[in-house]
RNA sequence: GCGGGGGUGGCAGAGUGGUCAAAUGCGCAAGGUUGAGGGCCUUGUCCCUUAGUGGGUACGCGUGUUCAAAUCACGUCCCCCGCACCA
């Protein structure tokens, strides 16, 4: 036996490894295949990973105890760009990255090695593995692997997968707007930006306005649906616009607009430059045929859109206030030679009904905020947001939209009609579109980013309706942990559409039929769990012999020629056939909308129905002592740190005790730090108590057997539902407390068999959470085999007896009160004890007390009871209480059960012993067991009389 | 805005029509216990009142359904997660 608790961990980890107890092979038992998404290995893991991981680990160990043949493998993910980019940043000695490296504890000499992306994998994969091992994960390490082309076997597998998807027509080609660094000629992800995190490309509609000479003024808008409300255009008198030839048309558009069109691969030719001032006063023809005036405006930003806008004063507060300002400013109008009356005649055109804002929403809201001029930018910015929300999501089209767009939109919501209008405008040639960034983005190369349209991008077509149907079918049959995650999946499956599955840079696998592309990281990790079933075998096969045929042979049961050893191929086919499908895959709730849904989709696409996944677990995000864990708060806790400080079992128990379901679990420092000591106590308790006690039976045993069986029953239910926190409470805390109570209640002489059963049950049930300690305790009570391979305890429903538990608790309470009184009165062995109790207790209570007291060696020899006054208002409560407590009320001394509350009253008396009870005792003593007097002193209240 | 999950005592967190002033844990208070440690065991902990007791207010807010609501319905406010090409 290990001397120190810290030695225990290593001892058992080594034994497990030596005896290969977590390296399963197919046999005739039922199997259970669970896994945890392979982590991305660009830094040491923190306790956030640990929670998700531990849910799988605890479940795996539980299922093993339940007699399943359990497979729990683990691999590592390196696909994608973060490692490559981090390596590059290390090479550039970028300060932020250097801090990350030194924070992880690397010296300057170490750091230079990280300039090579492959070194990251080489370094971190073993580090992750050693962290996993140090915390006692029951993983089959033979099957470990990492992703990307540097693992050629896995690479082949991913190529095979994509070949399959391609074959079935689930991979399609299309266009994609991406954020682009024009200097580096690379796409720019969110984390590669100095400025503009979260900004994305946004499609803007280009609306054409026909001038008399047939040329078009082109404005940009996010609200093409309000086109019927256009009253005028605004151009900036000081800007130069460009006239371009595009698609055989002539457009007049700002220079930034031209630039964008060029960047986005539009063919065009610049013809000439047009001064804004020259456009003012001209008229244009609109989509619906009406004619509007071009007006001057100075609020325009040349960088936004096309540098000129159309004005919809009915529903844009900015447009309306600008119009009002201009209408008031005669000098300004004159300056540009405008007809004052004509300008003043411009009125907003009602087009939408906005609940709460009426027909001319812009006017309503300007009045509400009391905006007087267009210079009140703060208010106007706020208004824009508020009005956009209301207008876009709640407004409906008015009668003008009745048959304008080929379909009656009158009364329809803007939200629903917007796309229809957009399509119609494009179709009729009155609108076009381009992309614009939602905000300025500056890349790490200090270049301002642009939108680039990638035209030969590959997509996985999650929008395919038949595929969606299969995904739903799979979901419907799956078990969810917890069940309430299901609704989110349902929504996501419907909502997913084409997913860009290839990248130009990073680590990974090349797209088999178009090798300029790399398969993106979320797409190469959807069915790889199948690879776990064979990874330990396939790695022995020369890479030249691994081809699509082999995978078809293994996974599709196709009887094709394989290049490799047939025995090995058959063995892999057997492994896959045995272990698949995935029984439980667990992950954070943020992965529902991508990875976990892809997991479902891809399985239904590639595998036959009996291999579709059957269980998914989802959990929340780890908090640290009530606070969100984040880099900025500096409370990211590395796994290795806490494991070293508190030992693996304390960490395992603490993290799972933090929470369950979809709630965010909370890591409590106070809990983890108190556990090592509790473990020591548990160890010595088990050693001390096991195998001791009496052989004969006693009635107190029934109580404890009831407690024990109930605990096993409830804990089993919790484990089945991965409600690990509740399980820990029952197994570790409640059962531990009750076992000690049993020893007390049997005066240190518990029944030997029952005690042994209880100790064994507790250890086995606790072992998924604290396996090292439990193995040690198991060994200390003389068990020869591993507790990790023991049998989960059975429970006997017959032995669970609510009434027995209630009665026992009551009796024990009375007994301890008597003791307290005796000790207070400093009497060791009274001749007589008199209990004064409410008369409503009489049904069987007295006999019961007598009997129990005898058994438990009560300090008095004689117990006499006296009925005190009737208790009022008992009946009603009692009648309600009984049915809940027992199924057969006739079986038990009914009223007694209800008296727990009254016993509590007695306990109260004990609480205020010094103040109150002493005086009562005095009364009783003085009166020399004058029962009458005692009754008067405390009518209805139980009292204890000694003599 | 959309989809999902929530709002309960000092905190965390049960409870989904009556047994609810509300499990359990932490915190806090009192007492006990062990001459070892932030250990263990009792008891108390919404407000007022009592010898026992009784009464009041409460489960985001409002309204309703019901003999009865933390629990059901409607409305409303607030918080968290996601809304993608990022692993």
């Amino acid at each position: 036996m290990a001397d120190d608790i810290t030695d225990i961990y290593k001892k058992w980890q080594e034994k497990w490894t030596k005896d290969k107890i977590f390296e399963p092979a197919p046999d005739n038992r039922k199997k259970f295949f669970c896994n945890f998404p392979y982590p991305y290995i660009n830094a040491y893991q923190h306790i956030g990973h640990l929670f998700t991981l531990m849910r799988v680990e605890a479940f795996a160990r539980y299922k093993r105890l339940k007699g399943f043949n359990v497979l729990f493998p683990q691999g590592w993910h390196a696909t994608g760009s973060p490692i490559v980019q981090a390596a590059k940043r290390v090479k550039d000695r970028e300060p932020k990255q250097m801090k990350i490296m030194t924070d992880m504890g690397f010296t300057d000499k170490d750091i230079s090695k990280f300039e090579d992306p492959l070194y990251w994998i080489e370094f971190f994969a073993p580090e992750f593995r050693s962290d996993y091992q140090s915390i006692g994960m029951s993983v089959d390490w033979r099957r470990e692997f990492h992703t990307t082309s540097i693992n050629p076997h896995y690479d082949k597998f991913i190529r095979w997968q994509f070949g399959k998807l391609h074959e079935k027509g689930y991979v399609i080609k299309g266009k994609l707007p991406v954020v682009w660094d024009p200097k580096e000629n690379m796409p720019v992800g969110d984390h590669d930006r100095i400025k503009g995190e979260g900004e994305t490309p946004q499609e803007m509609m280009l609306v054409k306005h026909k001038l008399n000479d047939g040329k078009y003024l082109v404005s940009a808008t996010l609200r093409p649906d309000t086109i019927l409300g256009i009253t005028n255009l605004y151009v900036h008198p000081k800007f130069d616009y460009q006239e371009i030839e595009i698609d055989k048309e002539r457009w007049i558009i700002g220079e930034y607009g031209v630039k964008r069109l060029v960047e986005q691969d539009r063919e065009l030719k610049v013809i000439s430059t047009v001064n804004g001032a020259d456009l003012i006063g001209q008229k244009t023809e609109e989509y619906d045929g009406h004619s509007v005036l071009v007006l001057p405006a100075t609020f325009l930003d040349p960088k936004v859109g096309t540098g000129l806008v159309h004005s919809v004063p009915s529903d844009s507060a900015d447009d309306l206030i600008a119009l009002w300002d201009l209408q008031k400013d005669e000098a300004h109008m004159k300056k540009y030679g405008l007809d004052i009356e004509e300008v003043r005649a411009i009125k907003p055109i009602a087009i939408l009904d906005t609940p709460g804002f009426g027909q001319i929403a812009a006017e309503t809201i300007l009045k509400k905020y009391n905006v007087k001029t267009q210079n009140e930018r703060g208010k106007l910015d706020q208004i824009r947001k508020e009005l956009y929300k209301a207008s876009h999501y709640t407004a409906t089209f008015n009668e003008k939209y009745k048959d304008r767009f080929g379909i009656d939109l009158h009364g329809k919501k803007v939200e629903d009609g917007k796309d229809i209008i957009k399509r119609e405008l494009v179709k009729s040639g009155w609108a076009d579109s381009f992309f614009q960034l939602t905000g300025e983005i500056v890349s790490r190369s200090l270049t301002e980013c642009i939108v680039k349209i990638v035209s030969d991008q590959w997509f996985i077509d999650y929008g395919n309706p038949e595929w969606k149907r299969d995904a739903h079918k799979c979901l419907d049959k799956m078990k969810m942990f917890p069940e309430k995650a299901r609704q989110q999946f349902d929504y996501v499956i419907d909502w997913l559409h084409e997913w860009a599955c290839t990248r130009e840079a990073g680590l990974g696998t090349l797209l088999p039929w178009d090798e300029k592309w790399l398969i993106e990281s979320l797409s190469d990790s959807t069915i790889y769990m199948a690879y776990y079933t064979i990874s330990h075998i396939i790695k022995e096969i020369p890479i030249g012999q691994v081809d699509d045929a082999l995978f078809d042979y293994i996974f599709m049961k196709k009887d094709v020629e394989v290049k490799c050893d047939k025995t090995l191929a058959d063995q892999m086919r057997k492994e896959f056939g045995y272990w698949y499908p995935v029984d439980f895959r667990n992950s954070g709730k943020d992965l529902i909308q991508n990875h976990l849904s892809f997991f479902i989709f891809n399985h239904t696409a590639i595998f036959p129905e009996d291999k579709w996944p059957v269980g998914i677990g989802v959990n929340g995000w780890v908090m640290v002592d009530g606070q969100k864990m984040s880099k900025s708060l500096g409370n990211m806790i590395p796994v290795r740190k806490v494991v070293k400080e508190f030992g693996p079992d304390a960490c395992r128990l603490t993290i799972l005790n933090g929470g369950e379901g979809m709630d965010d679990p909370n890591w409590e420092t106070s809990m983890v730090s108190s556990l090592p000591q509790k473990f020591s106590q548990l160890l010595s308790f088990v050693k001390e108590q096991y195998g001791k006690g009496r052989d004969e039976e006693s009635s107190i045993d029934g109580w404890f057997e009831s407690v024990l069986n109930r605990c096993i029953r409830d804990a089993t239910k919790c484990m089945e539902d991965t409600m690990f926190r509740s399980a820990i409470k029952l197994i570790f805390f409640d059962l531990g407390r009750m076992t000690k109570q049993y020893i007390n209640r049997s005066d240190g002489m518990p029944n030997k068999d029952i005690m042994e059963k209880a100790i064994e049950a507790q250890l086995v049930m606790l072992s998924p959470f604290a396996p090292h300690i439990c193995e040690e305790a198991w060994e200390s009570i003389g068990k020869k085999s591993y507790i990790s391979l023991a049998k989960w305890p059975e429970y006997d429903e017959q032995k669970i007896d609510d009434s027995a538990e209630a009665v026992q608790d009551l009796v024990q309470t009375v007994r301890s009160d008597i003791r307290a009184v005796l000790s207070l009165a400093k009497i060791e062995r009274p001749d007589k004890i008199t209990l004064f109790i409410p008369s409503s207790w009489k049904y069987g209570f007295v006999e019961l007390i007598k009997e129990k007291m005898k058994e438990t060696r009560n300090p008095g020899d004689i117990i006499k009871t006296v009925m005190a006054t009737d208790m009022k208002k008992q009946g009603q409560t009692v009648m309600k209480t009984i049915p809940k407590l027992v199924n057969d009320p006739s079986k038990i001394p009914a009223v007694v059960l209800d008296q727990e509350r009254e016993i509590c009253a007695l306990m109260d008396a004990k609480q205020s012993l010094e103040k109150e009870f002493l005086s009562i005792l005095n009364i009783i003593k003085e009166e020399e067991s004058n029962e009458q007097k005692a009754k008067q002193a405390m009518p209805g209240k139980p009292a204890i009389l000694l003599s």
Side-chain angles (χ1 to χ4, degrees):
Chain A
M1 179 149 182
D3 296 332
D4 187 0
I5 191 161
T6 50
D7 295 337
I8 291 174
Y9 307 126
K10 222 177 142 201
K11 165 183 164 186
W12 289 102
Q13 283 161 16
E14 281 168 3
K15 281 172 93 88
W16 293 332
T17 308
K18 192 180 117 261
D19 288 344
K20 303 181 193 309
I21 65 170
F22 303 127
E23 297 183 5
D27 59 24
N28 51 15
R29 283 177 294 166
K30 280 207 292 184
K31 62 91 188 180
F32 187 80
F33 180 22
C34 55
N35 48 63
F36 162 75
Y38 41 32
Y40 191 75
I41 48 173
N42 62 343
Y44 293 120
Q45 59 191 326
H46 51 75
I47 58 171
H49 296 109
L50 184 61
F51 180 64
T52 312
L53 176 64
M54 267 310 300
R55 282 176 42 81
V56 181
E57 158 74 358
F59 210 29
R61 283 187 179 266
Y62 166 71
K63 289 288 180 180
R64 217 172 269 125
L65 298 171
K66 287 292 276 186
F68 287 85
N69 190 10
V70 173
L71 174 58
F72 177 17
Q74 191 59 51
W76 316 114
H77 200 196
T79 307
S81 50
I83 286 179
V84 178
Q85 272 152 5
K88 185 168 180 298
R89 277 179 238 132
V90 170
K91 202 167 190 175
D92 296 345
R93 293 293 184 272
E94 195 196 273
K96 215 166 136 193
Q97 184 68 35
M98 295 314 276
K99 181 160 189 312
I100 293 173
M101 304 310 281
T102 47
D103 284 353
M104 282 195 281
F106 299 119
T107 61
D108 288 351
K109 207 175 113 217
D110 296 333
I111 291 174
S112 57
K113 294 186 198 153
F114 286 95
E115 292 171 12
D116 175 9
L118 298 189
Y119 183 73
W120 289 68
I121 303 173
E122 203 179 297
F123 178 82
F124 277 112
E127 291 295 313
F128 266 67
R129 176 175 170 165
S130 91
D131 275 0
Y132 273 50
Q133 285 174 324
S134 75
I135 201 157
M137 293 293 152
S138 59
V139 165
D140 180 356
W141 290 111
R142 295 171 305 158
R143 299 169 192 258
E144 176 189 13
F145 67 84
H146 54 256
T147 67
T148 79
S149 53
I150 62 170
N151 177 355
H153 292 82
Y154 181 79
D155 196 56
K156 285 269 175 76
F157 171 74
I158 296 300
R159 292 172 74 100
W160 170 81
Q161 176 194 346
F162 269 76
K164 279 269 169 283
L165 290 175
H166 194 42
E167 236 170 65
K168 300 196 177 194
Y170 288 142
V171 187
I172 56 176
K173 209 171 201 177
K175 292 186 178 185
L176 179 75
V178 295
V179 178
W180 194 263
D181 179 337
K183 186 174 149 206
E184 299 279 321
N185 233 8
M186 281 209 4
V188 178
D190 226 16
H191 304 294
D192 305 317
R193 302 172 187 175
I194 290 188
K195 189 180 167 194
E197 201 169 315
E199 308 289 358
T200 57
Q202 181 179 42
E203 189 180 27
M204 288 196 97
M205 296 309 290
L206 298 173
V207 179
K208 301 180 201 169
H209 313 270
K210 197 171 190 177
L211 290 160
N212 290 334
D213 55 8
K215 295 171 187 168
Y216 293 100
L217 282 175
V218 179
S219 60
T221 181
L222 291 170
R223 293 287 305 273
D225 52 291
T226 60
I227 190 167
L228 299 185
I230 297 174
T231 59
N232 61 283
L233 303 185
Y234 286 116
V235 300
H236 200 296
K238 297 227 167 82
F239 291 174
D240 281 335
Y241 295 88
Q242 292 184 319
E243 183 179 331
I244 59 169
E245 187 176 304
I246 182 167
D247 296 340
K248 294 178 187 150
E249 293 174 347
R250 293 289 176 95
W251 293 5
I252 293 168
I253 179 172
E255 63 175 308
Y256 281 90
V258 175
K259 204 167 146 254
R260 261 173 217 126
L261 285 167
V262 172
E263 285 161 5
Q264 292 168 30
D265 298 333
R266 297 291 295 262
E267 295 270 337
L268 61 85
K269 206 164 76 191
V270 177
I271 306 292
S272 64
T273 301
V274 183
N275 187 262
D278 296 339
L279 294 166
I280 294 163
Q282 298 208 43
K283 290 205 174 143
T284 63
E285 185 194 336
E286 297 302 309
Y287 164 78
D288 60 346
H290 79 285
S291 168
V292 303
L293 198 55
V294 180
L295 299 176
T298 51
F299 63 84
L300 297 171
D301 181 342
K303 289 194 171 187
V304 177
T306 57
L308 67 92
V309 299
H310 62 245
S311 164
V312 184
S314 55
D315 293 275
S316 161
D318 297 286
D319 291 351
L320 182 58
I321 193 84
L323 181 64
W324 284 349
D325 281 359
L326 182 66
Q327 286 171 340
K328 275 183 244 163
D329 191 345
E330 247 171 68
H332 207 62
M333 286 188 278
K334 273 187 186 154
K335 184 177 166 191
Y336 295 103
L338 293 165
D339 178 334
I340 292 173
E341 287 317 308
E342 194 181 359
V343 174
R344 288 203 169 140
I346 296 174
K347 292 264 169 340
I349 304 169
I351 49 169
L352 305 175
D353 289 316
T354 311
F357 295 93
Q359 296 264 329
I360 309 293
E363 187 170 356
T364 312
I365 200 162
L366 282 176
K367 280 183 182 152
K368 182 178 156 195
Y369 282 87
N370 195 24
V371 181
K372 292 281 184 260
T373 81
Q374 59 183 306
N375 298 323
E376 299 177 55
R377 294 321 307 172
K379 277 187 191 171
L380 283 167
D381 286 343
Q382 199 182 333
I383 285 175
R384 189 180 313 117
K385 277 184 201 153
E386 184 177 333
L387 190 57
Y388 183 87
K389 265 190 187 172
S391 179
H392 186 251
Y393 296 109
T394 66
T396 56
F397 298 111
N398 74 6
E399 66 285 348
K400 283 206 163 57
Y401 287 78
K402 195 157 175 57
D403 35 38
R404 181 56 72 179
F405 297 96
I407 169 176
D408 182 8
L409 290 172
H410 181 201
K412 291 267 183 345
K413 277 192 173 174
V414 166
E415 196 181 1
D416 301 330
K418 195 175 163 187
D419 284 343
I420 296 170
I421 293 173
K422 203 159 111 182
R423 270 201 301 278
E424 187 59 30
L425 288 175
V426 172
K427 208 174 109 194
S428 64
W430 279 91
D432 206 311
S433 74
F434 66 25
F435 287 87
Q436 178 181 318
L437 294 171
T438 52
E440 194 187 352
I441 299 174
V442 178
S443 72
R444 285 181 188 269
S445 70
L446 299 176
T447 315
E448 186 168 346
C449 296
I450 61 168
V451 178
K452 183 180 162 71
I453 308 288
V454 179
S455 57
D456 55 350
Q457 172 71 45
W458 291 97
F459 293 88
I460 297 181
D461 185 16
Y462 293 121
N464 182 317
E466 278 167 48
W467 200 2
K468 279 188 194 298
R469 210 171 311 135
D470 278 348
H472 276 297
K473 192 172 165 193
C474 176
L475 178 67
D476 290 345
K477 289 200 295 187
M478 235 187 298
K479 178 155 170 59
M480 307 299 289
F481 306 85
E483 185 53 34
K484 61 183 162 190
R486 185 182 301 280
Q487 307 202 45
Q488 185 72 2
F489 273 103
D490 255 320
Y491 177 78
V492 170
I493 288 173
D494 283 336
W495 164 83
L496 276 171
H497 49 268
E498 300 78 18
W499 177 268
C501 64
T502 52
R503 288 300 116 85
E504 304 200 37
L507 296 172
T509 296
L510 297 174
L511 195 65
W513 64 89
D514 187 359
E515 297 204 342
K516 85 170 246 216
W517 291 106
L518 217 45
I519 293 164
E520 167 272 340
S521 69
L522 280 162
S523 301
D524 85 337
S525 57
T526 55
I527 61 158
Y528 70 92
M529 311 86 218
Y531 190 79
Y532 280 133
T533 65
I534 59 160
S535 62
H536 57 309
I537 302 170
I538 200 167
K539 68 175 81 151
E540 305 304 328
I541 296 174
I543 190 68
Q545 297 175 9
V546 178
D547 56 10
D548 285 353
L550 179 61
F551 292 118
D552 282 341
Y553 184 84
I554 299 168
F555 299 126
M556 302 285 109
K557 275 193 175 169
K558 270 193 202 159
D559 285 316
V560 289
E561 240 358 89
V562 296
K563 289 187 188 144
C564 70
D565 183 346
K566 190 84 180 343
T567 330
L568 289 177
D570 284 335
Q571 203 184 327
M572 288 191 281
R573 186 190 262 194
K574 186 181 166 199
E575 290 258 356
F576 174 73
Y578 178 75
W579 293 115
Y580 240 58
V582 173
D583 295 291
F584 181 68
R585 182 166 178 81
N586 188 252
S587 147
K589 59 186 173 187
D590 54 322
L591 260 50
I592 294 175
Q593 34 282 320
N594 47 48
H595 171 259
L596 288 172
S597 291
F598 294 176
F599 165 65
I600 295 173
F601 267 100
N602 281 272
H603 272 84
T604 66
I606 289 177
F607 295 111
E609 205 172 324
D610 65 324
K611 300 295 179 198
W612 292 0
V614 297
I616 286 186
V618 174
N619 58 255
W621 281 100
V622 170
M623 317 264 283
V624 173
D625 291 324
Q627 275 197 308
K628 235 180 205 170
M629 187 167 66
S630 73
K631 280 193 189 119
S632 57
L633 283 168
N635 60 354
M636 305 281 288
I637 302 181
V639 169
R640 47 184 54 207
K641 178 169 169 271
V642 281
V643 171
K644 193 164 174 229
E645 191 172 351
F646 304 108
D649 285 352
C651 294
R652 294 168 64 113
L653 209 57
T654 301
I655 196 80
L656 283 183
N657 190 243
E660 61 198 3
M662 289 237 263
D663 295 336
D664 292 337
N666 187 32
W667 168 273
E668 283 179 59
T669 308
S670 61
M671 162 125 184
V672 74
S673 55
S674 73
L675 279 175
Q677 187 189 356
K678 287 202 169 90
F679 288 146
S680 296
Q681 284 166 2
L682 179 72
L683 280 177
S684 48
F685 176 83
V686 166
K687 227 160 91 184
E688 211 172 282
Q689 294 297 332
Y690 191 84
K692 286 191 189 142
R694 59 187 148 77
D695 292 325
E696 60 278 5
E697 288 174 16
S698 151
S699 71
I700 190 74
D701 301 345
W703 163 77
F704 186 60
E705 282 198 289
S706 177
V707 167
L708 177 62
N709 279 283
R710 176 201 305 282
C711 177
I712 296 172
R713 181 189 68 187
D714 295 348
T716 306
K717 173 88 174 59
C718 289
M719 294 303 286
E720 287 292 335
D721 293 333
T722 71
M723 299 301 270
F724 298 125
R725 189 176 67 155
S726 303
I728 288 169
K729 177 180 166 281
L730 285 166
I731 296 163
F732 188 57
F733 294 106
D734 291 352
L735 185 57
R737 200 172 45 236
M738 292 319 249
T739 307
K740 279 177 196 148
Q741 218 163 78
Y742 173 52
I743 294 172
N744 281 340
R745 288 186 178 184
S746 53
D747 289 315
M749 282 300 283
N751 179 285
K752 182 162 159 274
D753 291 345
I754 295 173
M755 199 57 192
E756 285 181 358
K757 194 185 168 213
I759 288 175
E760 286 177 22
Q762 193 191 12
L763 289 176
V764 172
M765 292 196 293
L766 188 61
S767 72
F769 307 110
H772 309 81
I773 295 299
C774 291
E775 288 283 11
E776 185 70 16
W778 197 244
E779 188 189 52
S780 80
I781 59 174
K783 301 287 183 184
K784 297 292 176 226
S785 60
Y786 288 106
I787 198 168
S788 299
L789 304 176
K791 204 168 163 299
W792 184 264
E794 302 281 337
Y795 62 89
D796 182 354
E797 189 74 50
Q798 298 292 309
K799 290 194 170 159
I800 300 173
D801 182 349
D802 298 281
S803 56
E805 284 183 51
V807 167
Q808 197 56 43
D809 288 341
L810 178 76
V811 167
Q812 292 301 328
T813 313
V814 172
R815 188 167 72 110
S816 75
D817 281 343
I818 290 174
R819 283 184 171 169
V821 171
L822 287 176
S823 114
L824 188 77
K826 295 194 170 59
I827 298 172
E828 268 180 34
R829 285 188 68 83
D831 297 328
K832 189 171 96 177
I833 297 174
T834 307
L835 285 178
F836 293 87
I837 60 170
S839 57
S840 52
W841 290 18
K842 60 190 167 190
Y843 310 100
F845 175 73
V846 173
E847 299 311 312
L848 202 83
I849 288 284
K850 277 189 192 166
E851 189 195 334
K852 302 288 177 189
M853 288 291 175
K854 240 181 269 165
E855 276 179 16
T856 55
R857 291 172 219 169
N858 72 79
D861 297 317
I862 306 158
I863 297 175
K864 189 186 170 196
T865 59
V866 179
M867 299 300 155
T869 55
D870 281 326
M871 306 287 280
K872 286 178 196 165
K873 294 173 76 175
Q874 288 290 337
Q876 221 180 339
T877 326
V878 172
M879 294 318 288
K880 281 179 187 171
T881 309
I882 292 169
K884 272 273 173 163
L885 283 172
V886 289
N887 298 327
D888 180 9
S890 65
K891 214 174 83 182
I892 52 140
V895 182
V896 171
L897 286 173
D898 185 50
Q899 300 312 323
E900 259 177 301
R901 294 180 58 175
E902 301 312 322
I903 283 294
C904 287
L906 186 140
M907 301 302 282
D908 283 345
K910 194 196 112 195
Q911 173 58 27
S912 44
L913 273 176
E914 310 247 9
K915 288 183 241 157
E916 186 186 323
F917 216 78
L918 264 183
S919 65
I920 294 169
L921 280 174
N922 283 338
I923 293 171
I924 296 169
K925 276 182 185 165
E926 277 169 23
E927 299 299 325
E928 294 277 83
S929 67
N930 182 334
E931 290 166 12
Q932 275 311 115
K933 204 74 177 185
K935 272 197 284 182
Q936 276 167 14
M938 35 194 300
K941 181 181 178 179
I944 299 168
L945 178 60
L946 313 166
S947 53

